Amino acid sequence: MKQFFRNFKGDAFGGLTAGIVALPLALAFGVSSGLGPSAGLYGAIFISFFAALFGGTNTQISGPTAPMTAVSMLVIAGLIGANDGDVEKALPGILTVFLLAGLMQVGLGAIGLGKYIRYIPYPVVSGFMTAIGVMILVTQFLPALGYYPKEDQSFVDKFKPQAEEVILDKILKEEAGEGILVLEDFKETIKRAENISAEEINIEAVTLAGSKASGVSGALKSLPRALSNINYMELLLCLITIVIIYGFKRITTTVPSTLVALILVSGVAYGFNLNYRPIEEIPSGFPVPNLGI
């Protein structure tokens, strides 16, 4: 008990700091996933709870991490692609993959295989982490410039012909599943195609535009358009945040510079009602489990 109270102050301050710093990261992951900021928030909460429940080390701080994102994004992208780009349809498969991965991780921890990480060469680990850092840096070029491909209507319009093809392909697949697709008679297909609204086409085009501009290659290809459509307010907030993070360390390292940047820049942006892009509103209360999945 004496040992507990001796470390309580440091543990409490460390946990509070990690929680505040991890909050925007968790929200960003939720927004990037397409499931909204609440998904990232709840994910960060539950991963911390289960990490503590199943053990770890005395100095462990758990939360959303970029390496796990880089490892899992190919699996997620493949599952979403196999479900016609619909995140909701792919969600059961995604959750199953990560549930099995979590069970495997618990099993590997239980038999003590984690200690063999010491035999992984340092250049391998360093190269892996460096590559992830480069990927994150490149993919943040567009948000830093205040450019969002899904909201650039001229960019989205380029994908409308492809969007029509995707929607028509979905109709044909639905008819094949219903057993009403007959090559000699496309009356039902034509009827359904005529009912496609401009809004449906635009929604599909927005999805295709977002997919085209995603990832490292997508960000680099979209960079010229971003440079010609800079939101200077968001760019300024980004640069100020970077300056505070690296500059405050020269004053003191007692208080994390990321925490100072988060509180200061967010407070100024909100207090002066600046023209910045906010995230979606986070629902209050406890999440309702989706038992249908």
Side-chain angles (χ1 to χ4, degrees), residues 186-260:
F186 284 99
K187 290 183 179 179
E188 181 64 25
T189 305
I190 296 172
K191 181 180 178 181
R192 294 189 183 187
E194 289 176 345
N195 292 328
I196 299 173
S197 65
E199 183 180 358
E200 289 179 289
I201 296 174
N202 189 69
I203 291 174
E204 188 64 44
V206 167
T207 302
L208 293 171
S211 177
K212 186 70 174 179
S214 64
V216 175
S217 60
L220 292 175
K221 291 177 181 178
S222 302
L223 191 56
R225 294 187 66 90
L227 291 173
S228 61
N229 295 275
I230 298 176
N231 184 323
Y232 290 99
M233 177 56 66
E234 295 194 15
L235 177 59
L236 181 62
L237 291 174
C238 174
L239 294 176
I240 292 174
T241 302
I242 295 173
V243 170
I244 294 175
I245 289 176
Y246 288 98
F248 192 79
K249 293 178 181 180
R250 297 179 179 274
I251 301 174
T252 178
T253 56
T254 303
V255 180
S257 59
T258 50
L259 178 60
V260 175

Side-chain angles (χ1 to χ4, degrees), residues 48-165:
S48 301
F49 172 78
F50 284 110
L53 179 65
F54 289 107
T57 65
N58 294 332
T59 57
Q60 182 179 29
I61 297 177
S62 300
T65 58
M68 188 60 197
T69 305
V71 171
S72 60
M73 65 181 180
L74 292 177
V75 177
I76 294 174
L79 289 171
I80 293 176
N83 287 273
D84 302 321
D86 192 329
V87 177
E88 294 296 330
K89 289 182 180 179
L91 196 55
I94 293 172
L95 293 177
T96 302
V97 168
F98 284 95
L99 176 62
L100 293 174
L103 292 174
M104 291 174 62
Q105 189 172 3
V106 172
L108 293 172
I111 60 179
L113 286 183
K115 61 186 177 183
Y116 293 107
I117 187 66
R118 70 185 70 174
Y119 298 110
I120 302 297
Y122 174 78
V124 174
V125 178
S126 177
F128 175 71
M129 297 301 294
T130 302
I132 290 172
V134 172
M135 290 170 60
I136 294 173
L137 181 64
V138 172
T139 54
Q140 293 307 299
F141 284 164
L142 303 187
L145 295 171
Y147 177 74
Y148 304 94
K150 291 183 178 182
E151 298 177 5
D152 185 353
Q153 194 58 48
S154 61
F155 180 65
V156 171
D157 289 342
K158 294 181 178 180
F159 294 89
K160 285 188 176 180
Q162 186 180 350
E164 294 177 0
E165 295 178 7

